[in-house]
PDB file of all heavy atoms in Angstrom:
ATOM      1  N   TRP B 131     -11.124 -20.780 -66.812  1.00 88.00           N
ATOM      2  CA  TRP B 131     -11.619 -22.103 -66.287  1.00 88.00           C
ATOM      3  C   TRP B 131     -13.051 -21.963 -65.830  1.00 88.00           C
ATOM      4  O   TRP B 131     -13.511 -22.886 -65.338  1.00 88.00           O
ATOM      5  CB  TRP B 131     -10.604 -22.478 -65.320  1.00 88.00           C
ATOM      6  CG  TRP B 131      -9.259 -22.359 -65.382  1.00 88.00           C
ATOM      7  CD1 TRP B 131      -8.308 -21.566 -64.954  1.00 88.00           C
ATOM      8  CD2 TRP B 131      -8.469 -23.244 -66.279  1.00 88.00           C
ATOM      9  NE1 TRP B 131      -7.102 -21.790 -65.351  1.00 88.00           N
ATOM     10  CE2 TRP B 131      -7.076 -22.795 -66.347  1.00 88.00           C
ATOM     11  CE3 TRP B 131      -8.783 -24.271 -67.132  1.00 88.00           C
ATOM     12  CZ2 TRP B 131      -6.192 -23.368 -67.015  1.00 88.00           C
ATOM     13  CZ3 TRP B 131      -7.776 -24.877 -67.917  1.00 88.00           C
ATOM     14  CH2 TRP B 131      -6.435 -24.398 -67.847  1.00 88.00           C
ATOM     15  N   GLY B 132     -13.706 -20.912 -66.069  1.00 85.00           N
ATOM     16  CA  GLY B 132     -15.188 -20.770 -65.753  1.00 85.00           C
ATOM     17  C   GLY B 132     -15.341 -20.532 -64.192  1.00 85.00           C
ATOM     18  O   GLY B 132     -14.368 -20.595 -63.316  1.00 85.00           O
ATOM     19  N   SER B 133     -16.752 -20.148 -63.937  1.00 83.00           N
ATOM     20  CA  SER B 133     -16.913 -19.851 -62.652  1.00 83.00           C
ATOM     21  C   SER B 133     -17.486 -20.867 -61.834  1.00 83.00           C
ATOM     22  O   SER B 133     -17.937 -20.593 -60.629  1.00 83.00           O
ATOM     23  CB  SER B 133     -17.770 -18.528 -62.555  1.00 83.00           C
ATOM     24  OG  SER B 133     -17.322 -17.555 -63.450  1.00 83.00           O
ATOM     25  N   ASP B 134     -17.800 -22.068 -62.410  1.00 84.00           N
ATOM     26  CA  ASP B 134     -18.488 -23.078 -61.797  1.00 84.00           C
ATOM     27  C   ASP B 134     -17.681 -23.710 -60.561  1.00 84.00           C
ATOM     28  O   ASP B 134     -16.479 -23.577 -60.591  1.00 84.00           O
ATOM     29  CB  ASP B 134     -18.741 -24.284 -62.907  1.00 84.00           C
ATOM     30  CG  ASP B 134     -20.213 -24.354 -63.044  1.00 84.00           C
ATOM     31  OD1 ASP B 134     -20.841 -24.164 -62.066  1.00 84.00           O
ATOM     32  OD2 ASP B 134     -20.543 -24.625 -64.114  1.00 84.00           O
ATOM     33  N   VAL B 135     -18.353 -24.285 -59.676  1.00 85.00           N
ATOM     34  CA  VAL B 135     -17.652 -24.896 -58.632  1.00 85.00           C
ATOM     35  C   VAL B 135     -17.045 -26.243 -59.212  1.00 85.00           C
ATOM     36  O   VAL B 135     -17.778 -27.000 -59.967  1.00 85.00           O
ATOM     37  CB  VAL B 135     -18.623 -25.248 -57.468  1.00 85.00           C
ATOM     38  CG1 VAL B 135     -19.681 -25.917 -57.711  1.00 85.00           C
ATOM     39  CG2 VAL B 135     -17.887 -25.830 -56.435  1.00 85.00           C
ATOM     40  N   LYS B 136     -15.784 -26.647 -58.769  1.00 85.00           N
ATOM     41  CA  LYS B 136     -15.195 -27.715 -59.228  1.00 85.00           C
ATOM     42  C   LYS B 136     -14.779 -28.604 -58.320  1.00 85.00           C
ATOM     43  O   LYS B 136     -14.229 -28.140 -57.175  1.00 85.00           O
ATOM     44  CB  LYS B 136     -13.897 -27.304 -60.158  1.00 85.00           C
ATOM     45  CG  LYS B 136     -14.341 -26.569 -61.426  1.00 85.00           C
ATOM     46  CD  LYS B 136     -13.099 -26.301 -62.168  1.00 85.00           C
ATOM     47  CE  LYS B 136     -13.439 -25.517 -63.527  1.00 85.00           C
ATOM     48  NZ  LYS B 136     -14.211 -24.370 -63.289  1.00 85.00           N
ATOM     49  N   ARG B 137     -14.906 -29.806 -58.278  1.00 85.00           N
ATOM     50  CA  ARG B 137     -14.504 -30.764 -57.223  1.00 85.00           C
ATOM     51  C   ARG B 137     -12.977 -31.047 -57.394  1.00 85.00           C
ATOM     52  O   ARG B 137     -12.512 -31.336 -58.595  1.00 85.00           O
ATOM     53  CB  ARG B 137     -15.233 -32.003 -57.296  1.00 85.00           C
ATOM     54  CG  ARG B 137     -14.981 -32.951 -56.158  1.00 85.00           C
ATOM     55  CD  ARG B 137     -16.084 -33.957 -56.076  1.00 85.00           C
ATOM     56  NE  ARG B 137     -15.461 -35.058 -55.260  1.00 85.00           N
ATOM     57  CZ  ARG B 137     -15.628 -36.234 -55.450  1.00 85.00           C
ATOM     58  NH1 ARG B 137     -16.338 -36.736 -56.480  1.00 85.00           N
ATOM     59  NH2 ARG B 137     -15.071 -37.176 -54.553  1.00 85.00           N
ATOM     60  N   LEU B 138     -12.306 -31.002 -56.283  1.00 85.00           N
ATOM     61  CA  LEU B 138     -10.825 -31.251 -56.406  1.00 85.00           C
ATOM     62  C   LEU B 138     -10.601 -32.508 -55.429  1.00 85.00           C
ATOM     63  O   LEU B 138     -10.843 -32.529 -54.318  1.00 85.00           O
ATOM     64  CB  LEU B 138     -10.019 -30.075 -55.754  1.00 85.00           C
ATOM     65  CG  LEU B 138      -8.551 -30.161 -55.704  1.00 85.00           C
ATOM     66  CD1 LEU B 138      -7.945 -30.520 -57.055  1.00 85.00           C
ATOM     67  CD2 LEU B 138      -7.750 -28.980 -55.141  1.00 85.00           C
ATOM     68  N   GLU B 139     -10.079 -33.586 -56.089  1.00 80.00           N
ATOM     69  CA  GLU B 139      -9.877 -34.781 -55.422  1.00 80.00           C
ATOM     70  C   GLU B 139      -8.319 -35.047 -55.533  1.00 80.00           C
ATOM     71  O   GLU B 139      -7.780 -35.339 -56.548  1.00 80.00           O
ATOM     72  CB  GLU B 139     -10.724 -35.836 -55.944  1.00 80.00           C
ATOM     73  CG  GLU B 139     -10.717 -37.081 -55.222  1.00 80.00           C
ATOM     74  CD  GLU B 139     -11.270 -36.978 -53.813  1.00 80.00           C
ATOM     75  OE1 GLU B 139     -12.200 -36.589 -53.430  1.00 80.00           O
ATOM     76  OE2 GLU B 139     -10.241 -37.033 -52.963  1.00 80.00           O
ATOM     77  N   ILE B 140      -7.631 -35.019 -54.416  1.00 79.00           N
ATOM     78  CA  ILE B 140      -6.173 -35.182 -54.509  1.00 79.00           C
ATOM     79  C   ILE B 140      -5.646 -36.349 -53.734  1.00 79.00           C
ATOM     80  O   ILE B 140      -4.543 -36.588 -53.514  1.00 79.00           O
ATOM     81  CB  ILE B 140      -5.397 -33.969 -54.078  1.00 79.00           C
ATOM     82  CG1 ILE B 140      -5.937 -33.388 -52.859  1.00 79.00           C
ATOM     83  CG2 ILE B 140      -5.473 -32.882 -55.159  1.00 79.00           C
ATOM     84  CD1 ILE B 140      -5.117 -32.452 -52.073  1.00 79.00           C
ATOM     85  N   GLY B 141      -6.702 -37.155 -53.208  1.00 79.00           N
ATOM     86  CA  GLY B 141      -6.299 -38.395 -52.526  1.00 79.00           C
ATOM     87  C   GLY B 141      -5.932 -38.336 -51.125  1.00 79.00           C
ATOM     88  O   GLY B 141      -5.418 -39.238 -50.552  1.00 79.00           O
ATOM     89  N   ILE B 142      -6.178 -37.146 -50.481  1.00 78.00           N
ATOM     90  CA  ILE B 142      -5.936 -37.113 -49.037  1.00 78.00           C
ATOM     91  C   ILE B 142      -7.252 -37.742 -48.394  1.00 78.00           C
ATOM     92  O   ILE B 142      -8.290 -37.375 -48.746  1.00 78.00           O
ATOM     93  CB  ILE B 142      -5.872 -35.674 -48.567  1.00 78.00           C
ATOM     94  CG1 ILE B 142      -4.746 -34.936 -49.218  1.00 78.00           C
ATOM     95  CG2 ILE B 142      -5.655 -35.741 -46.938  1.00 78.00           C
ATOM     96  CD1 ILE B 142      -4.597 -33.527 -48.738  1.00 78.00           C
ATOM     97  N   PRO B 143      -7.009 -38.842 -47.600  1.00 80.00           N
ATOM     98  CA  PRO B 143      -8.233 -39.471 -47.032  1.00 80.00           C
ATOM     99  C   PRO B 143      -8.941 -38.614 -46.217  1.00 80.00           C
ATOM    100  O   PRO B 143      -8.453 -37.607 -45.517  1.00 80.00           O
ATOM    101  CB  PRO B 143      -7.486 -40.619 -46.148  1.00 80.00           C
ATOM    102  CG  PRO B 143      -6.129 -40.084 -45.936  1.00 80.00           C
ATOM    103  CD  PRO B 143      -5.693 -39.425 -47.113  1.00 80.00           C
ATOM    104  N   ASP B 144     -10.332 -38.739 -46.079  1.00 79.00           N
ATOM    105  CA  ASP B 144     -11.205 -37.878 -45.459  1.00 79.00           C
ATOM    106  C   ASP B 144     -12.161 -38.672 -44.546  1.00 79.00           C
ATOM    107  O   ASP B 144     -13.239 -38.954 -44.922  1.00 79.00           O
ATOM    108  CB  ASP B 144     -11.971 -36.994 -46.503  1.00 79.00           C
ATOM    109  CG  ASP B 144     -12.757 -35.880 -45.792  1.00 79.00           C
ATOM    110  OD1 ASP B 144     -12.638 -35.769 -44.688  1.00 79.00           O
ATOM    111  OD2 ASP B 144     -13.365 -35.072 -46.474  1.00 79.00           O
ATOM    112  N   GLN B 145     -11.508 -39.156 -43.475  1.00 82.00           N
ATOM    113  CA  GLN B 145     -12.393 -39.862 -42.595  1.00 82.00           C
ATOM    114  C   GLN B 145     -12.357 -39.357 -41.090  1.00 82.00           C
ATOM    115  O   GLN B 145     -11.339 -38.961 -40.700  1.00 82.00           O
ATOM    116  CB  GLN B 145     -11.741 -41.322 -42.547  1.00 82.00           C
ATOM    117  CG  GLN B 145     -12.577 -42.416 -42.894  1.00 82.00           C
ATOM    118  CD  GLN B 145     -12.761 -42.423 -44.488  1.00 82.00           C
ATOM    119  OE1 GLN B 145     -11.808 -42.554 -45.181  1.00 82.00           O
ATOM    120  NE2 GLN B 145     -14.019 -42.353 -44.966  1.00 82.00           N
ATOM    121  N   PRO B 146     -13.538 -39.319 -40.505  1.00 82.00           N
ATOM    122  CA  PRO B 146     -13.410 -38.995 -39.123  1.00 82.00           C
ATOM    123  C   PRO B 146     -12.802 -40.067 -38.194  1.00 82.00           C
ATOM    124  O   PRO B 146     -12.988 -41.321 -38.614  1.00 82.00           O
ATOM    125  CB  PRO B 146     -14.922 -38.679 -38.657  1.00 82.00           C
ATOM    126  CG  PRO B 146     -15.627 -39.365 -39.815  1.00 82.00           C
ATOM    127  CD  PRO B 146     -14.851 -39.588 -41.007  1.00 82.00           C
ATOM    128  N   PHE B 147     -12.080 -39.848 -37.131  1.00 85.00           N
ATOM    129  CA  PHE B 147     -11.645 -40.799 -36.209  1.00 85.00           C
ATOM    130  C   PHE B 147     -11.672 -40.266 -34.728  1.00 85.00           C
ATOM    131  O   PHE B 147     -11.679 -39.155 -34.693  1.00 85.00           O
ATOM    132  CB  PHE B 147     -10.164 -41.227 -36.685  1.00 85.00           C
ATOM    133  CG  PHE B 147      -9.102 -40.184 -36.540  1.00 85.00           C
ATOM    134  CD1 PHE B 147      -8.337 -40.153 -35.332  1.00 85.00           C
ATOM    135  CD2 PHE B 147      -8.783 -39.414 -37.615  1.00 85.00           C
ATOM    136  CE1 PHE B 147      -7.433 -39.169 -35.244  1.00 85.00           C
ATOM    137  CE2 PHE B 147      -7.877 -38.400 -37.420  1.00 85.00           C
ATOM    138  CZ  PHE B 147      -7.204 -38.317 -36.344  1.00 85.00           C
TER     139      PHE B 147
END
Side-chain angles (χ1 to χ4, degrees):
Chain B
W131 311 111
S133 313
D134 244 328
V135 56
K136 294 182 177 59
R137 185 163 166 220
L138 178 60
E139 193 48 75
I140 46 164
I142 300 179
D144 191 359
Q145 237 78 55
F147 65 93

